[in-house]
Amino acid sequence: MRRTSVESDRKLISILIPVFNEEGNIRRAYEAVRDVFEQMKDRYTFEIIFTDNHSTDASIAIISELAATDPRVRAVRFARNFGFQRSVLTAYRLASGDAAIQIDCDLQDPPSVFPQFLELWEQGHDVVVGIRRFRQESKLLQWARRFYYRLLKRLSDDNLMLDSGDFRLIDRSVLDQLHLINDVAPYTRGLTSLLATKQVGVAYDRQARQAGVSKFPLGKLIALAVDGLITHSIFPLRLAAFVGLGISLLTCLASFFYIFSRLLFGINWPAGFATTTVLLLFGISLNAIFLGIIGEYVGRIYNQVRSRPTTVIEHSVNVPDLSLGRLAQHTGSCAYTSDAADVLPRRIETRQQR
């Protein structure tokens, strides 16, 4: 989409919204973003990029309807569900703006914080991160999150912000660098913080979801935590080595103790079947745990060297061919484009009738 002379005097901000079965939130998110930028229309223009992770509801149909009436709305639909992190990374790579802001479709991260993000960006910060001051969830989950973020910060050498999520503003300079990084298992919040040269946080209160259900149950939260830890630290591997070394040392000391006790003092140690069994099971358990840790890293190396696409795009709406071509050129993502906004909704309706 070519910018007019009036728009060229204003900075373009890309709003990135990942979607998976969010038919109850899409219009609300669009209207909330539009209303915020309406108050800043003298300084900024915007585009909204929806990345649909192969939703099974009417999400893409609703997005296509919005795109038909507002050319600032753009969308890509993936050929299958590639996961939240890959969806966000693809959205960053499709962004055409001078800066991009990622926000969840459920509006738990309020668009009303945008002006603060943009003010700090105008001051020269290349990454502005939303810091979650309060979350409407159980005390146990809040404590677990706080503990995890501080553990990750302690173990990682990267510039990670405490109590932050994916809600953040990214400058064009960082967006361009994301095109050059090929990571098949991206942890985008950590990746953008790693690339930042001047990062700052903005505290806000996270709202409750008003429609739909969370796409991050406990199992996915644990998987995300593991991704963050393995992506930004080799501490688990070092822990396996240190624990293995410590157990080997204790085993040697115990062996010498038994041998010298028998030779020097003539002590006859009773046969200990239970003790032997417990020690054997303990050793087997440790081996299984640490082999699992090593396997996690080896699996990621295997996936990385295969150089498979980050995402495969089944359908696009209002996305320039130049953006899709650049995405495929730098990251290997396969882009199958069609700007006919009614093609995919008809396909979904046919599938539902079957």
Side-chain angles (χ1 to χ4, degrees):
M1 182 176 66
R2 181 176 297 176
R3 297 169 66 180
T4 65
S5 59
V6 175
E7 289 176 332
S8 63
D9 295 333
R10 297 178 291 170
K11 294 180 179 179
L12 175 63
I13 308 300
S14 301
I15 307 301
L16 316 177
I17 306 179
V19 171
F20 179 66
N21 292 344
E22 293 285 1
E23 60 183 2
N25 288 313
I26 292 171
R27 293 187 186 278
R28 291 178 54 249
Y30 164 74
E31 293 169 358
V33 170
R34 181 196 61 192
D35 293 345
V36 168
F37 276 95
E38 183 66 25
Q39 302 171 14
M40 303 183 291
K41 61 183 180 180
D42 58 325
R43 291 174 293 159
Y44 304 106
T45 184
F46 72 96
E47 64 174 358
I48 301 179
I49 301 177
F50 290 97
T51 51
D52 178 28
N53 231 330
H54 207 77
S55 298
T56 56
D57 62 1
S59 292
I60 191 62
I62 296 172
I63 295 171
S64 298
E65 291 175 6
L66 293 173
T69 58
D70 189 345
R72 297 171 298 184
V73 176
R74 305 177 180 184
V76 293
R77 174 179 168 88
F78 300 135
R80 61 179 178 83
N81 190 334
F82 284 90
F84 178 80
Q85 296 296 319
R86 291 187 180 189
S87 175
V88 172
L89 182 57
T90 300
Y92 279 135
R93 289 168 170 168
L94 287 171
S96 302
D98 299 292
I101 300 176
Q102 192 274 317
I103 186 171
D104 291 345
C105 195
D106 56 18
L107 296 183
Q108 288 186 279
D109 303 318
S112 58
V113 183
F114 287 179
Q116 295 174 258
F117 279 12
L118 292 167
E119 181 181 356
L120 290 169
W121 172 60
E122 295 282 8
Q123 294 175 10
H125 297 280
D126 56 357
V127 174
V128 183
V129 181
I131 305 298
R132 297 163 175 174
R133 182 170 48 201
F134 174 76
R135 305 173 63 113
Q136 297 190 21
E137 58 187 12
S138 68
K139 294 292 184 181
L140 179 61
L141 189 54
Q142 289 185 42
W143 178 87
R145 290 182 189 272
R146 289 177 61 85
F147 173 78
Y148 168 73
Y149 287 133
R150 281 149 184 79
L151 175 64
L152 184 59
K153 175 82 171 176
R154 183 68 178 270
L155 298 180
S156 175
D157 294 328
D158 298 332
N159 185 26
L160 304 178
M161 300 284 285
L162 292 175
D163 303 319
S164 64
D166 293 286
F167 184 39
R168 59 188 59 207
L169 177 147
I170 309 296
D171 181 67
R172 181 76 254 170
S173 61
V174 178
L175 292 172
D176 290 339
Q177 292 182 68
L178 289 175
H179 281 280
L180 306 177
I181 294 176
N182 181 22
D183 191 343
V184 298
Y187 186 67
T188 52
R189 64 182 70 171
L191 187 58
T192 54
S193 291
L194 169 66
L195 297 173
T197 59
K198 193 176 181 182
Q199 183 174 236
V200 68
V202 174
Y204 72 100
D205 294 330
R206 201 157 199 256
Q207 309 299 316
R209 171 185 277 267
Q210 296 186 16
V213 296
S214 173
K215 306 307 182 296
F216 275 91
L218 182 60
K220 288 190 175 181
L221 286 176
I222 294 174
L224 180 62
V226 171
D227 282 341
L229 187 60
I230 291 178
T231 301
H232 290 279
S233 175
I234 61 171
F235 176 78
L237 287 176
R238 289 178 176 171
L239 178 63
F242 288 141
V243 172
L245 182 62
I247 292 178
S248 298
L249 181 60
L250 289 176
T251 302
C252 290
L253 291 176
S255 299
F256 284 126
F257 175 74
Y258 280 114
I259 292 171
F260 284 113
S261 297
R262 179 65 181 268
L263 295 177
L264 299 179
F265 303 103
I267 300 176
N268 292 321
W269 298 101
F273 175 79
T275 304
T276 303
T277 302
V278 170
L279 289 175
L280 284 174
L281 292 176
F282 179 68
I284 293 171
S285 299
L286 282 180
N287 284 332
I289 292 171
F290 294 139
L291 282 175
I293 293 174
I294 295 171
E296 187 70 28
Y297 281 93
V298 172
R300 289 167 185 265
I301 295 172
Y302 172 68
N303 288 331
Q304 186 69 42
V305 298
R306 289 192 297 174
S307 298
R308 291 192 171 187
T310 304
T311 52
V312 177
I313 297 175
E314 174 186 282
H315 176 81
S316 70
V317 180
N318 287 348
V319 179
D321 289 340
L322 179 62
S323 296
L324 291 170
R326 186 172 66 246
L327 178 70
Q329 178 182 1
H330 288 289
T331 67
S333 295
C334 301
Y336 301 94
T337 66
S338 171
D339 283 335
D342 63 334
V343 172
L344 196 58
R346 286 205 305 266
R347 190 185 305 171
I348 292 177
E349 290 172 2
T350 303
R351 186 182 303 168
Q352 290 175 345
Q353 290 174 0
R354 291 177 184 174

